[in-house]
Amino acid sequence: MYVPTLKGRFIIREATPADLQQLVHVHVTSWNATYPNHHPKPTPGIRAMQWQKRFNGEEENWFCYVAQHEQGEIAGFATGNKFFDANLPYKGALDKIH
C-alpha cells in the first residue's frame, strides 16, 4: 500500500504541464497499489500520454488540483469535469482522487 511519508505543510493549487512527471508517478503508484490484481497495469508511458492529452487541450472542461508539499513533491491530486448548465446546482464533479 502507498503511504506518503511527507510531513509538514502542503498547498493545494491547480496543476500545470510542469507537473506532468510527478502526476504520472503518483497516478501509476497509487493505482497499482489500490488495484494490485488488475491487469494489465497502467504504465508510466500510458499515463504520460493521457496527462499530455489533457494539458494539450484535447479534453475539454477538465480540471486538476494537486497537493504539493512545501519542498515541492506532489503527494496527490484530484481531477474532475466542469459543468456549464445553469439548471444544475453545482458547477462540476470530481472523478479521480489519488
Side-chain angles (χ1 to χ4, degrees), residues 15-25 27 43-60 62 64 77 79:
T16 69
D19 299 321
L20 180 83
Q21 292 306 314
Q22 287 193 67
L23 286 167
V24 167
H25 174 73
H27 202 173
T43 64
I46 289 169
R47 290 295 189 226
M49 181 183 66
Q50 292 168 334
W51 280 104
Q52 194 63 58
K53 281 183 170 182
R54 287 184 160 192
F55 284 122
N56 288 344
E58 294 178 40
E59 293 184 30
E60 296 182 16
W62 73 284
C64 178
F77 67 86
T79 64

Side-chain angles (χ1 to χ4, degrees), residues 6-8 14-16 30 32 36-37 54-55 62 72 76-77 95:
L6 296 173
K7 295 181 181 175
E14 279 194 80
T16 69
S30 65
N32 290 338
N37 298 321
R54 287 184 160 192
F55 284 122
W62 73 284
F77 67 86
D95 62 10

Side-chain angles (χ1 to χ4, degrees), residues 54 60-63 79-83 91-95:
R54 287 184 160 192
E60 296 182 16
N61 302 327
W62 73 284
F63 61 85
T79 64
N81 295 294
K82 300 174 190 175
F83 300 136
K91 300 296 179 201
L94 291 175
D95 62 10

